[in-house]
Amino acid sequence: MKPWTRYLPSAALLVIAGLAWQWIVTARHIPSFILPGPVDIAQTAWRLRSLLLTNALPTTEIAVLGFLVALAAGVLLAIAIHLSRVVELALYPLIIASQAIPVLALAPIMLLVLGFTIGPKLIIVALICFFPITVNTVDGLRAVDPDLIRMMRSLGAHRLTILREAELPGALPYLFSGAKVAVTFSVIGALYSEYVGSTEGLGYLMTQLQNQFETGALFGAMALLTAIGVALFAAVTLAERLLIPWHRDERAALYTNRKGYR
Amino acid sequence: MKPWTRYLPSAALLVIAGLAWQWIVTARHIPSFILPGPVDIAQTAWRLRSLLLTNALPTTEIAVLGFLVALAAGVLLAIAIHLSRVVELALYPLIIASQAIPVLALAPIMLLVLGFTIGPKLIIVALICFFPITVNTVDGLRAVDPDLIRMMRSLGAHRLTILREAELPGALPYLFSGAKVAVTFSVIGALYSEYVGSTEGLGYLMTQLQNQFETGALFGAMALLTAIGVALFAAVTLAERLLIPWHRDERAALYTNRKGYR
Amino acid sequence: MKGIEAREISRTFRVDGHALPVLCGVSVAAPPGGFVAVLGPSGSGKSTLLSIMAGLDRPDAGRVVVDGRDVTGRLGLAGYMPQRDLLLPWRRTLDNVALGPELSGMSRADARRLAASHFPRFGLAGFERAYPRTLSGGMRQRAALLRTFLSEREILLLDEPLGALDAMTRMDLQSWLLDVWEEMRKTIVLVTHDVDEAIYLADRIYLLSSRPARVSAVLDVDLRRPRPYDEIVTSTRFLSLKREILGLLGHRPVVTT
Amino acid sequence: MKGIEAREISRTFRVDGHALPVLCGVSVAAPPGGFVAVLGPSGSGKSTLLSIMAGLDRPDAGRVVVDGRDVTGRLGLAGYMPQRDLLLPWRRTLDNVALGPELSGMSRADARRLAASHFPRFGLAGFERAYPRTLSGGMRQRAALLRTFLSEREILLLDEPLGALDAMTRMDLQSWLLDVWEEMRKTIVLVTHDVDEAIYLADRIYLLSSRPARVSAVLDVDLRRPRPYDEIVTSTRFLSLKREILGLLGHRPVVTT
Amino acid sequence: GKAASNGKAVAPETAPPRPATIMLDWTINSDHGGLYTAIQRGYFARNHIAAAPKVPSSSTSQIQLVAAGQANFGISYETDLLAARAQHIPVRSVMCIMQHPLNTVMALKSSGITRPRQLAGKTIGMAGSPSDIPIVSAVMRHDGASIKEARMVNVGYNLLPALLSRRVDAVVGVYWTWEAIQARMKGYPVNVMRVERWGVPNYCELVLVASERTIRAQPIFVREVVQSLQQGYADAAAHPLAAWTALHRADAALSRPLVLRSLELLGPVETDATTVGYQDPRQWEAYAAWLWANHMISRPVAADVAYTNQFLQPHVR
Ligand SMILES: Nc1ncnc2c1ncn2[C@@H]1O[C@H](COP(=O)(O)OP(=O)(O)OP(=O)(O)O)[C@@H](O)[C@H]1O
Ligand SMILES: Nc1ncnc2c1ncn2[C@@H]1O[C@H](COP(=O)(O)OP(=O)(O)OP(=O)(O)O)[C@@H](O)[C@H]1O
Ligand SMILES: [Mg+2]
Ligand SMILES: [Mg+2]
């Protein structure tokens, strides 16, 4: 497929969904304060574009920084769990437990310890999104063909060499699955982080808009948010393609014999 | 290791952390309404045990049901995305977008459409936790050795036979990584779902306790919540072991030659 | 019964940005019920040719013809045994073998019964419920061969099906292959690197040159059938054929006489 | 220089809940600088024996001894080439081969240079930057052999290193193996299913019975060295040895005379 | 079902009571004492109504749910109601539940801050709602200072922890009938600066909201609900202990000392009018103008369309 045709189905579905939405809203006279139509949303968003964009910047920043923190932390934790049975038994349950607590409930404690810095925000984002990375990386490190590892051991490879040369590259596809989930969550994490001591960002803006019943603008902010989410996901997918070259093209022409398809 | 020694490191870490926590709280005179010590929490939780347990039941129920909905939806979506390039291009961006919107912002709309039934709650939980399953399963379906698929195709296998006999079993390890993440999130999802017109469950209870500044009981509820999360994670891990028998033992004795270790 | 023909097949891969011509106008024909062997140096393109004949890969030029019809890129016409054994790790050995008949439309129960009946002859008895990773290299290869054979296609494309076997097991399965071929008149294309095997089994032998592969010679094996192993391999015709082939392959004439 | 010995090795696996005795008091000894071949039916336990000698698996009974020291379960003493080629999918071919010297402590640059210098002889020139999945079966095997050889151990354990190669390539690498062995006096244990190969290369041949494997015979190959291929394989001693081995393996005496 | 299938008329007494869904403003707390008293004392049942309180997903969704017809009534804030009216959302207040602001500026007694001008140079925590800054600004201006001299920080819903741990010197967005009691009960005496005494016009903290459609189509239903609530709140003001009992039955997680003390404070706030629930036209006008002047609503609002006293029973005290 040519690059631009790739986006046709997605765009077509969007247009169809938009039309249906607009039609329902118009035909059933749904008032815009309950569910604004896409036209309404687009108009409001355009009117408030500078407000939206100004506030999108800090949110994206926090999301990306938080994701990077989560990536580093998630992979390191996974390696530690993988390398040491004791660490696994001691830490893994606590890591799982950390995900069952609503992060916002921890906000006061973080605030008390760290004050009104960027720290608590990054921690909130990282807490929300490191988990898929850790679980996937642990499973990926374990999924590497055991015969490959035997081969390396027989050649006298050090434990860390096996990790670096066999297990980590082998776990990359899993890691990236986790990273794609994580980066999508980082956006919502950034939003939540703004409930804790912020006076800017899309999360703060959304609270304000909701309080003033600016439903159209609220939906505009949400649309912007989803656009950021999709863009970050796409960025990680691109990184995956670049970092796993041996994986690429493996599937080329698998279900068809016409060369160049997919 | 003998079964009971498996839990030693985890328990030891918990005890050490608990002691340190108690020590800090006592030594630095941190008031219990800000950060109660473990003794405090345990006492309060014991006092309120029947309140906590009564409210834990509906939360667990919603979490499990919502997770099952998410599992079914997540796998079906992944299969559709995997089988059809058009579905992938049309649906995947929307699925990603669905994760960048705070679910709670959608709650009023769901209430408007579905009313005060169990529906919105299940949808909230499922929305929060289907995503890791979908992303992982899609990646897993794609990661199956292309030569295996070529072999099946050469034997004249139908596309769906390849899916059933080669791709799905091959994707199971990925799927389970996603399911482990998802089931952990389902707990928090259940919590959030109770913000939508509920007067029972741990989520409601926690809001109420926070509202009343009952920090000790609040931490007790959080401890219960994390226990539920860890238990659900363990249940999925067990299911993984049972459902991927060919994977099991592969890693046995990989880093040691002493039989029976691990 | 069907025959299969590869006509003027060319195939070029891209390796590290450079074009790598692998097959260059290669034609191989197996008449209905014929047994054809393909011999050639390692890396010349034998596996590539076979996967094109199986419909798994498309040639850049040339056609695959079955019974006079162009079937280039059509799958499932021939039973194909790839060089790697490619057993499904999640199926037990019996179920892996049963996959062959299953995909040809047999019920799972019947397929398993049929597969199980061949296990003793293939030296796999007792390993029905073992997962593939616990099998030895040769056992895996035998299971893969049995799977392909039981797929019940009239045409079989076999890529070094006996390469991992010791001399004894190999001879045993060679005779088995001849027996079933004579009995059921399949059309077989066999890729092998064993000259004796090619002569012993085939009606006709195609020799490929080294990469890019062309057909450097076609030899008809005019040995009578049936072929009792002991008699055939000691016959003068066998030995002269072997000498000829080794000579064509660039080997100095050192065959024992 | 070091020799390696497996003493009274026994190993039993569990397959589908039943005990499967595979090795039953097997002893194999390669003196320093010796070249030993192990022959045996498919599935008898040759690979199991070799992985025990490499320290990758532990015997239920018996010991592995190097230079008189018990090294059972010790890794990295010998260069081991497994039966599956096991190239790392994420390393290019040159980097895969360079892994051998790298893991022996050589710098990556030196390792790559060393590896690259052997590529032409191994027929891999031009494929330095190709990923393993684009190589042919025989090319993968050659890369794996080169990797093991370059790991610069004094002891090499080779599990069917030439099994996927055609006759020509195979003879070529057999001579190469003999050359480097004579030159650098390594201790080699070779598992093979090719009787000619065993006789041509080894000083001593161990024959294993079928599962559970015992040593059914030990033969000393009293052929002079160096061994020019053409002369050796036509010598009467070679032929009588071959006949003897095939007989011991249960084959009727049909060797060409 | 059976009776109907036998062809007999269904007696009105055996028909199921008519449900009245009421969206709460928050989780069940002392503000809802009157509602639960009315339920427990059968004031709704008397009118053959089954009151069904619902907890909302966020503090603003109840107005939308009421406007959309998903709930019959909602407990909301006068501030939010006027903001909704500014967006032409067709809802009205049919009853004022709290006659005065509960929202307050609060500092620890130990800080010595007793009046707004002492906030100059201090850090003030807020929850991030749009009214926070105008309120602080108004009270400081009234006391001769300027908000520019103070530092406002958003601490989300962690107002009390931030104050008690002295991360901030004062907070806005807390209720003097709730958080102030909590602070005192934890051993931290606080000074409360009630905003209506420092320059903010008096307003109803909580109101009962119904949609214009409901008001038009079902006036009797609305009257019955409103008057049941009037009675309930009058009783709650007079008998805090009874109100506590009713609340406790609805939610076992409530804490007795806190809720009881709060109910005692709330009684006078609920009844400080000619009749319980009364909405004073002059005060509504003034507050709407103040909101507009402080940019808290997007358009000026005519207050008289935002409320109606027509359903109130006079002289309920
Ligand atoms: N990990 C294992 N678990 C269970 N059984 C095993 C395992 N590894 C090997 N076996 C069994 O041990 C026996 C010997 O296997 P091995 O691979 O040593 O044979 P081999 O002599 O190398 O055969 P081949 O020539 O076919 O490679 C086989 O029956 C195999 O099924
Ligand atoms: N997918 C591919 N991409 C690029 N090059 C390929 C691919 N498949 C095969 N080749 C190249 O084509 C050539 C022929 O490979 P092929 O597997 O057909 O050889 P072969 O004759 O079967 O050799 P062997 O006897 O060693 O199995 C090799 O040089 C190989 O590197
Ligand atoms: Mg090949
Ligand atoms: Mg073997």
Side-chain angles (χ1 to χ4, degrees):
Chain A
M1 286 197 199
K2 297 203 197 83
W4 66 268
T5 57
R6 287 173 53 102
Y7 303 103
L8 264 186
S10 194
L13 193 73
L14 263 179
V15 168
I16 292 172
L19 285 178
W21 181 351
Q22 185 69 51
W23 181 78
I24 291 175
V25 164
T26 315
R28 307 197 40 187
H29 301 290
I30 297 180
S32 73
F33 59 84
I34 289 178
L35 185 63
V39 175
D40 230 16
I41 297 173
Q43 279 172 350
T44 322
W46 180 249
R47 186 161 46 78
L48 299 177
R49 62 188 177 280
S50 81
L51 184 70
L52 288 173
L53 290 177
T54 329
N55 282 293
L57 209 66
T59 306
T60 314
E61 208 174 291
I62 293 283
V64 171
L65 286 179
F67 167 71
L68 293 177
V69 172
L71 187 65
V75 172
L76 288 179
L77 278 172
I79 291 175
I81 288 171
H82 179 65
L83 289 182
S84 154
R85 179 79 172 151
V86 170
V87 171
E88 178 187 353
L89 290 176
L91 231 54
Y92 216 167
L94 299 185
I95 288 174
I96 300 160
S98 80
Q99 296 302 298
I101 301 175
V103 175
L104 288 185
L106 297 177
I109 298 170
M110 283 188 274
L111 215 63
L112 291 179
V113 178
L114 297 164
F116 303 103
T117 58
I118 200 180
K121 294 188 194 178
L122 288 187
I123 293 179
I124 286 178
V125 177
L127 262 179
I128 282 180
C129 66
F130 85 95
F131 188 63
I133 298 177
T134 304
V135 172
N136 274 274
T137 308
V138 167
D139 287 349
L141 290 170
R142 287 181 182 164
V144 176
D145 183 350
D147 283 342
L148 278 185
I149 291 165
R150 274 196 205 100
M151 180 276 290
M152 305 248 335
R153 275 168 49 88
S154 78
L155 288 175
H158 189 268
R159 183 71 190 82
L160 291 181
T161 311
I162 295 180
L163 181 72
R164 195 183 63 228
E165 300 293 342
E167 292 175 326
L168 274 179
L172 270 187
Y174 281 79
L175 192 158
F176 269 105
S177 288
K180 281 183 269 183
V181 173
V183 85
T184 315
F185 288 165
S186 78
V187 179
I188 239 179
L191 214 63
Y192 285 156
S193 81
E194 287 166 10
Y195 294 153
V196 188
S198 213
T199 46
E200 54 169 16
L202 285 177
Y204 179 77
L205 182 66
M206 282 171 71
T207 320
Q208 302 295 315
L209 292 172
Q210 193 166 22
N211 270 308
Q212 298 187 35
F213 296 93
E214 292 273 11
T215 322
L218 184 65
F219 274 77
M222 288 206 278
L224 189 55
L225 210 60
T226 61
I228 296 172
V230 174
L232 292 180
F233 188 97
V236 175
T237 308
L238 190 71
E240 180 181 20
R241 287 240 219 129
L242 295 177
L243 276 167
I244 319 190
W246 63 89
H247 212 60
R248 210 194 315 164
D249 302 335
E250 279 248 21
R251 292 184 54 82
L254 201 54
Y255 291 109
T256 171
N257 299 309
R258 259 159 278 282
K259 279 168 297 165
Y261 184 73
R262 275 221 160 184
Chain B
M1 285 197 198
K2 296 203 197 84
W4 67 268
T5 55
R6 288 173 51 103
Y7 304 103
L8 265 185
S10 194
L13 193 72
L14 263 180
V15 168
I16 292 170
L19 286 176
W21 181 351
Q22 186 70 49
W23 181 78
I24 291 174
V25 164
T26 316
R28 307 197 40 186
H29 302 291
I30 297 179
S32 73
F33 55 85
I34 288 181
L35 185 63
V39 175
D40 230 16
I41 297 173
Q43 279 173 350
T44 322
W46 180 248
R47 187 161 45 78
L48 300 177
R49 62 190 176 278
S50 81
L51 187 69
L52 288 173
L53 291 177
T54 327
N55 283 294
L57 209 65
T59 306
T60 314
E61 209 175 288
I62 293 283
V64 172
L65 285 179
F67 166 72
L68 293 177
V69 172
L71 187 65
V75 172
L76 287 180
L77 278 173
I79 290 175
I81 287 172
H82 178 65
L83 289 183
S84 155
R85 179 78 172 151
V86 170
V87 171
E88 177 186 354
L89 290 177
L91 230 56
Y92 216 166
L94 299 185
I95 289 174
I96 300 159
S98 80
Q99 296 303 298
I101 301 175
V103 175
L104 287 186
L106 297 177
I109 297 172
M110 282 187 275
L111 275 184
L112 289 177
V113 179
L114 296 164
F116 295 97
T117 57
I118 201 180
K121 294 190 189 180
L122 288 187
I123 293 179
I124 286 177
V125 177
L127 261 179
I128 283 181
C129 67
F130 84 96
F131 189 62
I133 297 178
T134 303
V135 172
N136 273 274
T137 308
V138 168
D139 287 349
L141 290 169
R142 287 182 183 163
V144 175
D145 183 350
D147 283 342
L148 279 185
I149 290 164
R150 274 196 206 101
M151 180 277 289
M152 304 249 334
R153 274 169 47 89
S154 78
L155 288 174
H158 189 267
R159 182 73 190 81
L160 292 180
T161 312
I162 295 180
L163 181 72
R164 193 184 64 228
E165 300 295 341
E167 293 176 325
L168 274 178
L172 271 187
Y174 280 79
L175 192 158
F176 269 105
S177 288
K180 279 183 271 183
V181 173
V183 84
T184 316
F185 287 166
S186 77
V187 179
I188 237 178
L191 216 62
Y192 283 156
S193 81
E194 287 165 8
Y195 294 153
V196 187
S198 218
T199 46
E200 55 167 18
L202 285 178
Y204 178 80
L205 182 67
M206 283 172 69
T207 321
Q208 197 58 296
L209 292 171
Q210 191 167 26
N211 207 19
Q212 297 183 72
F213 227 41
E214 295 269 13
T215 322
L218 182 66
F219 274 74
M222 288 206 280
L224 190 54
L225 209 61
T226 60
I228 296 171
V230 174
L232 291 181
F233 188 97
V236 175
T237 308
L238 190 71
E240 181 180 21
R241 287 242 220 128
L242 295 177
L243 276 167
I244 319 189
W246 63 89
H247 211 61
R248 209 194 315 164
D249 301 336
E250 278 248 20
R251 292 185 53 82
L254 202 53
Y255 291 109
T256 170
N257 299 309
R258 258 158 279 279
K259 280 169 296 166
Y261 183 73
R262 274 218 161 187
Chain C
M1 208 178 324
K2 295 170 182 159
I4 187 166
E5 248 183 282
R7 288 197 191 145
E8 295 289 332
I9 301 282
S10 295
R11 183 78 173 94
T12 299
F13 287 113
R14 293 203 72 77
V15 170
D16 194 23
H18 301 94
L20 179 79
V22 169
L23 296 175
C24 205
V26 172
S27 296
V28 167
F35 200 134
V36 158
V38 178
L39 275 171
S42 170
S44 56
K46 304 182 293 296
S47 298
T48 306
L49 176 66
L50 223 61
S51 84
I52 287 173
M53 292 176 77
L56 282 169
D57 192 9
R58 274 204 175 236
D60 298 318
R63 292 184 299 144
V64 180
V65 174
V66 167
D67 269 352
R69 282 170 39 229
D70 183 345
V71 297
T72 322
R74 280 268 305 277
L75 284 150
L77 287 173
Y80 168 62
M81 174 176 169
Q83 192 169 8
R84 283 175 62 195
D85 46 59
L86 293 175
L87 301 176
L88 297 172
W90 38 86
R91 281 197 163 211
R92 295 169 190 274
T93 307
L94 182 62
D95 295 318
N96 258 296
V97 174
L99 191 67
E102 246 180 277
L103 292 182
S104 310
M106 199 180 281
S107 79
R108 180 166 293 206
D110 287 347
R112 291 168 59 108
R113 234 185 326 267
L114 177 66
S117 69
H118 286 79
F119 265 49
R121 175 70 195 259
F122 273 67
L124 294 171
F127 292 89
E128 287 84 356
R129 292 178 51 76
Y131 282 108
R133 72 185 154 81
T134 66
L135 299 184
S136 82
M139 291 161 82
R140 295 169 60 99
Q141 199 174 41
R142 283 176 267 156
L145 173 59
L146 187 53
R147 174 177 67 190
T148 309
F149 175 73
L150 294 182
S151 73
E152 314 227 308
R153 295 291 191 284
E154 292 178 17
I155 304 168
L156 294 182
L157 308 170
L158 309 177
D159 198 350
E160 310 207 2
L162 309 172
L165 302 180
D166 62 291
M168 293 305 104
T169 316
R170 188 169 191 142
M171 283 177 208
D172 194 36
L173 287 181
Q174 282 171 355
S175 324
W176 170 83
L177 200 56
L178 269 194
D179 288 352
V180 297
W181 172 73
E182 270 158 20
E183 197 180 308
M184 308 167 74
R185 301 309 301 180
K186 307 225 176 214
T187 306
I188 299 185
V189 180
L190 170 83
V191 167
T192 179
H193 56 251
D194 183 325
V195 179
D196 290 26
E197 182 169 284
I199 305 173
Y200 173 58
L201 292 175
D203 299 324
R204 189 187 288 164
I205 298 175
Y206 287 85
L207 294 188
L208 296 190
S209 68
S210 56
R211 186 171 3 96
R214 296 165 209 275
V215 176
S216 61
V218 185
L219 292 99
D220 280 310
V221 183
D222 42 6
L223 295 167
R224 66 178 165 82
R225 300 215 183 245
R227 297 178 177 170
Y229 192 85
D230 303 2
E231 280 174 42
I232 287 294
V233 297
T234 48
S235 67
T236 41
R237 184 65 192 127
F238 184 96
L239 293 175
S240 72
L241 269 170
K242 181 168 179 180
R243 206 163 337 159
E244 190 181 349
I245 292 173
L246 287 176
L248 284 165
L249 287 172
H251 193 42
R252 293 139 297 167
V254 290
V255 188
T256 55
T257 25
Chain D
M1 207 177 325
K2 293 169 183 162
I4 187 166
E5 248 183 281
R7 287 195 191 147
E8 296 287 332
I9 302 281
S10 296
R11 182 76 173 98
T12 298
F13 287 114
R14 293 202 73 76
V15 170
D16 192 25
H18 302 93
L20 178 80
V22 168
L23 297 174
C24 204
V26 172
S27 297
V28 167
F35 200 136
V36 159
V38 179
L39 274 171
S42 169
S44 57
K46 303 182 294 296
S47 298
T48 306
L49 175 66
L50 223 61
S51 84
I52 287 173
M53 292 176 78
L56 282 168
D57 191 10
R58 273 204 175 234
D60 298 317
R63 293 184 297 146
V64 179
V65 175
V66 167
D67 269 352
R69 281 170 40 229
D70 183 344
V71 297
T72 321
R74 279 269 306 275
L75 283 150
L77 286 173
Y80 169 62
M81 174 177 170
Q83 192 169 7
R84 284 175 61 195
D85 45 60
L86 294 175
L87 302 176
L88 297 172
W90 38 86
R91 282 197 164 211
R92 294 169 190 276
T93 306
L94 182 63
D95 295 319
N96 257 297
V97 174
L99 191 67
E102 246 180 278
L103 292 181
S104 310
M106 199 180 282
S107 79
R108 180 167 291 204
D110 287 347
R112 292 168 58 108
R113 234 184 325 267
L114 177 65
S117 69
H118 286 78
F119 264 49
R121 176 72 196 256
F122 272 68
L124 293 171
F127 292 87
E128 287 84 356
R129 293 177 51 76
Y131 281 108
R133 73 186 152 81
T134 66
L135 299 185
S136 82
M139 290 161 82
R140 294 170 61 99
Q141 198 173 43
R142 282 176 268 156
L145 173 59
L146 187 53
R147 174 178 67 192
T148 310
F149 175 72
L150 294 182
S151 73
E152 315 228 306
R153 297 292 190 282
E154 292 178 16
I155 304 168
L156 293 182
L157 307 170
L158 308 177
D159 197 350
E160 310 205 2
L162 308 173
L165 301 181
D166 62 292
M168 294 304 104
T169 316
R170 187 169 192 142
M171 283 177 209
D172 193 38
L173 287 181
Q174 282 171 356
S175 322
W176 170 84
L177 200 57
L178 269 195
D179 288 353
V180 298
W181 171 72
E182 269 158 19
E183 196 180 307
M184 307 169 75
R185 301 310 299 180
K186 305 224 176 215
T187 307
I188 298 186
V189 180
L190 171 83
V191 166
T192 179
H193 56 251
D194 183 326
V195 179
D196 289 28
E197 181 169 287
I199 303 173
Y200 173 58
L201 292 175
D203 299 325
R204 187 189 288 166
I205 297 174
Y206 287 86
L207 295 188
L208 296 190
S209 67
S210 57
R211 184 170 5 97
R214 297 165 209 275
V215 176
S216 60
V218 185
L219 292 98
D220 280 308
V221 182
D222 42 6
L223 296 167
R224 63 175 166 84
R225 300 210 184 251
R227 297 177 178 171
Y229 190 85
D230 305 0
E231 280 173 43
I232 289 292
V233 296
T234 47
S235 67
T236 41
R237 183 63 192 130
F238 184 96
L239 293 174
S240 73
L241 268 170
K242 182 169 179 181
R243 206 164 334 158
E244 189 181 350
I245 292 174
L246 286 176
L248 284 165
L249 287 172
H251 194 42
R252 290 139 300 164
V254 290
V255 188
T256 55
T257 25
Chain E
K2 260 218 170 77
S5 62
N6 289 342
K8 288 178 195 160
V10 180
E13 310 84 66
T14 60
R18 165 162 205 196
T21 45
I22 304 174
M23 289 300 301
L24 304 185
D25 57 309
W26 193 247
T27 54
I28 301 169
N29 62 59
S30 53
D31 299 340
H32 312 123
L35 167 62
Y36 283 95
T37 306
I39 293 173
Q40 196 183 15
R41 298 205 163 173
Y43 297 154
F44 289 104
R46 205 161 56 197
N47 290 313
H48 210 60
I49 290 172
K54 301 277 181 198
V55 177
S57 59
S58 73
S59 53
T60 44
S61 65
Q62 62 273 61
I63 286 184
Q64 280 150 308
L65 287 168
V66 167
Q70 275 288 347
N72 304 114
F73 300 91
I75 297 180
S76 186
Y77 312 87
E78 183 178 337
T79 314
D80 282 9
L81 175 71
L82 290 169
R85 291 296 321 190
Q87 300 289 340
H88 307 301
I89 300 178
V91 287
R92 274 185 198 220
S93 165
V94 291
M95 172 182 180
C96 169
I97 295 174
M98 299 296 166
Q99 295 288 345
H100 300 292
L102 302 179
N103 190 356
T104 191
V105 179
M106 188 168 96
L108 288 179
K109 193 162 243 146
S110 57
S111 71
I113 299 172
T114 54
R115 52 188 301 159
R117 74 160 153 244
Q118 290 171 307
L119 294 171
K122 302 289 202 248
T123 303
I124 305 167
M126 58 177 181
S129 102
S131 62
D132 294 334
I133 289 173
I135 284 179
V136 174
S137 173
V139 298
M140 287 184 75
R141 196 177 335 112
H142 188 78
D143 200 21
S146 162
I147 191 172
K148 295 208 181 77
E149 301 167 64
R151 182 169 161 248
M152 302 289 293
V153 293
N154 183 357
V155 299
Y157 289 122
N158 310 299
L159 291 165
L160 209 44
L163 179 71
L164 300 192
S165 61
R166 299 190 171 79
R167 278 271 168 202
V168 294
D169 303 299
V171 289
V172 63
V174 293
Y175 282 6
W176 58 272
T177 56
W178 193 255
E179 279 88 349
I181 304 172
Q182 290 178 327
R184 290 190 189 108
M185 286 171 55
K186 301 288 181 194
Y188 291 80
V190 287
N191 290 330
V192 159
M193 287 154 264
R194 291 184 54 180
V195 297
E196 73 273 28
R197 298 193 186 149
W198 294 100
V200 177
N202 188 49
Y203 63 89
C204 298
E205 188 68 56
L206 295 177
V207 292
L208 184 71
V209 171
S211 73
E212 289 188 336
R213 167 129 50 110
T214 311
I215 290 173
R216 226 180 308 111
Q218 304 166 306
I220 298 170
F221 176 51
V222 178
R223 166 167 298 118
E224 286 168 350
V225 168
V226 167
Q227 296 190 354
S228 303
L229 280 173
Q230 274 187 290
Q231 202 58 57
Y233 273 95
D235 288 6
H239 310 289
L241 203 56
W244 154 252
T245 313
L247 282 170
H248 184 65
R249 269 185 47 175
D251 186 345
L254 288 172
S255 132
R256 189 173 195 271
L258 169 65
V259 173
L260 205 50
R261 179 72 192 117
S262 177
L263 285 167
E264 285 164 11
L265 290 180
L266 285 170
V269 182
E270 291 158 356
T271 53
D272 189 17
T274 52
T275 184
V276 168
Y278 181 68
Q279 296 144 115
D280 185 279
R282 278 205 330 274
Q283 289 185 1
W284 276 70
E285 209 59 66
Y287 188 57
W290 186 82
L291 287 181
W292 167 240
N294 285 286
H295 313 292
M296 288 163 68
I297 53 181
S298 46
R299 289 176 197 86
V301 179
D304 53 349
V305 298
Y307 68 92
T308 170
N309 284 319
Q310 72 183 99
F311 301 110
L312 294 170
Q313 180 184 358
H315 312 304
V316 180
R317 298 294 302 262

